Every structure is written in structure tokens, then in C-alpha cells.
Amino acid sequence: MKPCYCVRLEGPTWPSAQQSKLRELVETWLEAEHPFDDRGPGVSIRLDAENPEQWWRYTIDESLNGGAIVSTTITILNLEKRSTFEVRTSVVPSGLRVTPLKISVSVKTKRDLLKRVVETVTLYDAGMKVSAKTAVITDDSGAEAIAAFFEAPSRALPIVIETMPSIETSVFDVQKLSPELAGLAHVVQIVGPAPRAAFNEFHGREVLGQQGLVIMWPDHSIKSISGQGTKAGAGESDRNKVHLDITEIAAESLAPLRAPRFRRRAAEQEVETRVVEAETKELDTLGDPETVAWGEYRSALDGWQETEERVGELEQALAEADRIVAEKQQLLEKGDQIVDQLVLQNTELAIRLGRSPSGLVATSAIDAVRQAKSMCENLVFHEQALRSAEQIQGIDANRLLQDLVRLNIVAGDWQTGRISNSSLTISCRSFGLNYAAGIGEVAENKYGEDYSFTWRGRTEYAVAHIRNGRGVHLYRVHVFFDDDSHQVVVAYIGRHLRGKRDHN
């Protein structure tokens, strides 16, 4: 089992209200992450809540390709003097051979849960409140408080400190780090030379430079990254590395949280002592459960734990079976896609041979566009084209689908360099497309906004178009040939836009 992510927050025993709030947060997150009515195959969720005031745990197993299992536990443990909240994600491999297989696991949603927990419930680490925000220190007393916290023997989390002359000169921008390390680290910015000097003086060593990033681990070891002479905001890669390092070290450092074994009661010890002293006195152990022999109780407890582990193994096997079923379903869907590709290839061949294509049937304009979007790999369908196609009625949908397939052939030839911009008109018409490279002067000067659309963060104009049909059956497909990205964008499918004359 390889740990990927672990956060553990401890403190004095939490009251029932705080425990209930934590459980509510977890269940709300779980329902959003894995809705009960929409749980996919390969997902197994079970709850151990026989005594929720003492031990409460959700176990979530998700099956990955290759048979590996991603197991996440979310636990609340309450003992006599302390309480613990833990989120742990691990990968359980299932291979039988040594192969260079890298399993990628996303923990973004777990970080979101921890951020929500830290923002909602008050939690402490050695007297310091755990926060999902960056503490900005601008005075000497605040810096000395952080230096004193560094020396706290019960501190469990690292401190990440960024120093800078002013807020505007931040190189590493650790405020973006705080939400990602919620529950994993304390993130601090010390601004200005005076607070930095106060920290170093209180600490007794020059550990903070004028501009840099420092990680102070609970074992008092320190890792420093210099930012001297670096432009503001240029430390993103170092910031990301700090995030990954702390996440990995936490997962590898923290031991798994175990369910507490029930202790022998004092009454049991007294009963056993009296039995030894009296020797002749017999007790009716069947009449009173408080006098059950410890050996029998321990044996029953071990049997219960073995049964619980077996249930976990069966749950994982069920998740694996669900995954296999999902893979078979994907193969069936892939088979459908292969059929679509063969239909497209047959249609393209017929078009190139000058024959009328067969096998393309659409029930409406939007159906034709959706089929073309799944088949035509040389075309990009803009959202605006999908919206406009939903509104047009009464056209020959089969003809529209054929035109889009023809346009896909032209787009492929243009992308591979077989044809140029100057030969688009000839190429389109050779495949039976009524193509115009531009629009009339009136439309361009007076109604240009009708042909505009947002593409790759800029405004473009889809003036080139193909046209088909007459009267109420008329439709236009406006396209844009992007020379920069070498993509052909279908921007509009609908009726004739404003303007009277088209230019070839």
C-alpha cells in the first residue's frame, strides 16, 4: 500500500457538537463527490459507525485501470484526552509482475474537504490555530510569536515562511499555497526588515533572509530557498515543489490511524484476583457479562477484526468486478466508434470518387451537427454553432450532415497543405459544396457583429461559408480557417445572416 495523501489534526477531546459538525461536513462532501444515485462502477463506500462518539470512519475504494485500488479513509477518533481527524489516501497495487507502471491519483477534492473543515471547525496545533489562509506578519511581536511557535515541542505541522521587503515584491506568492496545504502546514509571510530581524534575534540564528522561502519542520530542521534578485511572482515552480514535498512527506511520515482496542475493565481484573485468592470460589461467568474471562473476550474481538478485514477484502473485490464490467462496456462503446469511423471513411471515399454518399441519416439539424462533431476530426465545432443549430427547423438534415462531412475532407486537405487558402473555393466546389470565401460589403460594414465569435481569447469573424437549400429550407454554415493554430472552426449553422450579397 503506497500512501499518497494524509492529513491528521489532533487536539483536546472535542464536544459532541463539534464532532457532529465534522461528520456533517464529511457526508456533504461525500454526497457531492460520489452521489448515491450516480455512483459509477468500481466505487465502494462503507461506514464504520457502531460507536460514533468514539470511532467514526468512512472507507472509499475506487478501482483504477490495471486493477489498482485507490483507498481513502476519513476518520474521527475520540479518546479520553484527545480527538483526531484524519484523511488518508493510499494506492493498493494489484499487479503480479514488476513493471514501470506509474499510477496517478488526484487529491484535489480531498484538499477541498480539508480547506472546508479548517475554515468551519476550530482546530489547533500546539496552541496555534490551523488555518487555510496565510498569516501576514508586519510587526515585531507577531514575528517573535512565530519564532516561539517554532520551538513548541508539541508542534506537529511544518511552518512555511516567505520573507519580502514589501507585499508587492512577493516572489513566491505563498498566499496561493495556503488553501492547498490546509491542515498540512502553517503558511506565513513576514513583510519588512524589522519583523524579519525580530524573528532572527528571538530564534538566535539568521535563518530568514531578506527575500526567500523557508520550511521549518517539527524536528527543527530547516530548508531554505533564496529569492534574492528574483522578479515578483517568478517563484511559481519553487512554490509548487514545496507543495508537493510537504504533501509527500506528510503521507510518508504519519502512521495509519488504528481503531482502538477495548481495554480490560478494572472490574475484570478484580474478579480474576478474587478467584486466585479464594481458589474454591466459583463464579457464574455466564450470568453476568461483566465477568467474562479476558481471554474469551480477546478471542472474540480478534475474530471480529478478522471478519471486518474480510468484509473489506470482499468490498475491494466487488469494486474490481465493477471496474471490469465498466471496461467491457467501454469496449462495446469503442466498437460503436469504430463503426462510425468506417462509415465516415466510406463516405469520404464516395465523395472523392464523385459519388453520392450513403449511410448518413440525421433527424434534425442539431442531430446532424452532433453526429458530425463525433465523426469529423478535422473540424472544431464552436459552442455558438451548436446553439444556432438547435434553433433551425425545416431544413434537409441529411444534406447538412453530408455537407459537414464534405467540409471535413476539405479541412483535412487544408491542414496537411494539399490545398492553400487561395484554392479553397475550387476544392470545396469540386466536392459539391457551394462555398463563398466572403460576404457582401453591406453585411461586412453594417452587420459585422453578426459574423463575430470569440476564439482563443480574441474576436474573429467567420465570413467564409457554405450554403444550401432555398426558401424555408435554406441554411448556411459559417467557418473560420485559423492560420495560427491550423484549425477549421465551424462558428455558425443557421439561416442567412443579415446582408444581401455574397462574395466568392
Side-chain angles (χ1 to χ4, degrees):
M1 181 178 292
K2 178 184 177 182
C4 300
Y5 180 77
C6 182
V7 176
R8 179 183 296 176
L9 301 172
E10 295 186 340
T13 303
W14 297 324
S16 297
Q18 185 161 341
Q19 296 177 37
S20 299
K21 186 63 177 177
L22 275 173
R23 291 194 290 266
E24 180 182 343
L25 283 172
V26 172
E27 290 178 336
T28 301
W29 171 86
L30 185 61
E31 180 59 27
E33 183 69 12
H34 300 286
F36 181 79
D37 296 330
D38 193 28
R39 257 168 220 173
V43 177
S44 169
I45 299 176
R46 58 188 184 275
L47 173 64
D48 181 2
E50 185 178 353
N51 184 9
E53 295 298 322
Q54 183 179 17
W55 174 262
W56 186 88
R57 166 176 280 182
Y58 264 108
T59 302
I60 307 155
D61 291 330
E62 301 173 79
S63 183
L64 300 178
N65 291 335
I69 299 290
V70 177
S71 181
T72 299
T73 58
I74 305 174
T75 309
I76 301 175
L77 169 66
N78 290 291
L79 300 176
E80 293 180 1
K81 295 183 179 181
R82 66 181 177 87
S83 295
T84 305
F85 176 77
E86 182 193 76
V87 177
R88 176 179 292 273
T89 297
S90 303
V91 174
V92 183
S94 63
L96 300 176
R97 298 179 298 171
V98 178
T99 57
L101 176 64
K102 184 174 179 60
I103 300 175
S104 178
V105 178
S106 173
V107 295
K108 180 181 182 303
T109 57
K110 282 81 173 180
R111 290 199 302 264
D112 294 341
L113 170 63
L114 262 298
K115 178 176 179 292
R116 201 175 310 165
V117 167
V118 168
E119 289 175 342
T120 306
V121 181
T122 302
L123 302 166
Y124 293 92
D125 173 30
M128 177 72 71
K129 183 179 179 181
V130 178
S131 176
K133 298 180 179 179
T134 301
V136 180
I137 307 299
T138 58
D139 57 3
D140 295 1
S141 59
E144 291 173 350
I146 297 298
F149 176 59
F150 169 74
E151 302 293 341
S154 60
R155 177 169 64 92
L157 303 180
I159 310 171
V160 179
I161 301 178
E162 180 185 12
T163 55
M164 67 204 79
S166 64
I167 288 291
E168 295 76 14
T169 58
S170 173
V171 171
F172 303 98
D173 199 8
V174 294
Q175 297 209 14
K176 296 180 180 179
L177 199 61
S178 304
E180 297 177 340
L181 291 180
L184 282 173
H186 305 276
V187 182
V188 180
Q189 283 182 323
I190 295 182
V191 184
R196 176 173 57 83
F199 181 99
N200 287 334
E201 183 178 354
F202 190 97
H203 181 65
R205 292 171 55 197
E206 292 287 330
V207 295
L208 299 184
Q210 181 179 359
Q211 195 157 29
L213 192 63
V214 178
I215 306 175
M216 297 183 160
W217 302 98
D219 63 357
H220 291 179
S221 61
I222 296 175
K223 178 180 179 180
S224 300
I225 302 173
S226 175
Q228 196 68 28
T230 307
K231 294 182 180 179
E236 180 180 2
S237 61
D238 287 320
R239 182 181 71 238
N240 293 337
K241 189 175 186 308
V242 167
H243 168 229
L244 292 175
D245 286 348
I246 292 178
T247 302
E248 290 177 1
I249 289 172
E252 295 172 356
S253 299
L254 298 173
L257 198 60
R258 303 293 185 185
R261 288 183 178 271
F262 294 97
R263 297 179 180 178
R264 296 176 62 181
R265 291 183 287 266
E268 291 175 344
Q269 297 174 353
E270 293 173 1
V271 168
E272 291 181 6
T273 302
R274 289 196 296 271
V275 171
V276 172
E277 292 174 353
E279 292 185 355
T280 58
K281 183 178 180 181
E282 296 184 357
L283 297 176
D284 182 9
T285 59
L286 298 177
D288 185 3
E290 292 294 327
T291 61
V292 174
W294 171 249
E296 296 180 12
Y297 187 82
R298 179 63 177 272
S299 176
L301 179 61
D302 290 341
W304 172 80
Q305 289 180 335
E306 290 177 1
T307 302
E308 181 70 13
E309 291 174 358
R310 179 59 179 162
V311 170
E313 292 174 357
L314 292 174
E315 291 277 4
Q316 289 188 357
L318 180 60
E320 174 64 10
D322 287 344
R323 184 192 63 80
I324 294 173
V325 171
E327 285 183 351
K328 299 299 183 184
Q329 184 65 32
Q330 289 176 359
L331 289 176
L332 291 175
E333 294 174 356
K334 188 175 181 180
D336 293 339
Q337 293 174 359
I338 293 174
V339 172
D340 291 340
Q341 291 175 1
L342 291 175
V343 170
L344 178 62
Q345 291 174 5
N346 182 60
T347 302
E348 289 186 356
L349 181 59
I351 292 173
R352 289 188 182 275
L353 293 174
R355 300 173 184 174
S356 178
S358 60
L360 296 177
V361 179
T363 58
S364 63
I366 187 60
D367 180 47
V369 173
R370 286 171 178 163
Q371 289 190 51
K373 184 179 179 182
S374 66
M375 292 190 299
C376 300
E377 58 184 14
N378 301 321
L379 299 177
V380 177
F381 287 84
H382 195 272
E383 293 180 359
Q384 184 172 296
L386 298 176
R387 290 196 300 267
S388 58
E390 289 178 342
Q391 299 172 4
I392 188 171
Q393 303 290 333
I395 68 165
D396 188 341
N398 294 338
R399 182 65 180 177
L400 173 60
L401 180 54
Q402 292 175 16
D403 283 351
L404 291 172
V405 172
R406 288 185 170 96
L407 181 61
N408 182 65
I409 298 174
V410 175
D413 290 345
W414 179 79
Q415 290 169 343
T416 57
R418 293 179 184 173
I419 60 175
S420 62
N421 291 343
S422 60
S423 57
L424 278 171
T425 301
I426 296 175
S427 180
C428 284
R429 292 184 177 179
S430 69
F431 288 122
L433 292 173
N434 189 358
Y435 174 82
I439 57 177
E441 293 180 3
V442 173
E444 186 173 358
N445 296 329
K446 193 173 182 179
Y447 306 116
E449 68 275 7
D450 290 3
Y451 304 87
S452 66
F453 69 104
T454 301
W455 172 244
R456 298 171 67 90
R458 61 182 187 270
T459 301
E460 299 290 355
Y461 295 87
V463 294
H465 59 280
I466 58 176
R467 48 202 170 184
N468 210 326
R470 293 181 178 276
V472 295
H473 304 297
L474 178 144
Y475 64 83
R476 300 291 172 97
V477 179
H478 283 259
V479 295
F480 172 70
F481 291 84
D482 189 345
D483 292 313
D484 295 334
S485 64
H486 229 53
Q487 292 177 297
V488 180
V489 185
V490 179
Y492 171 82
I493 300 173
R495 300 297 184 186
H496 196 320
L497 295 172
R498 290 184 291 181
K500 294 184 177 179
R501 294 184 296 125
D502 296 318
H503 286 314
N504 295 334

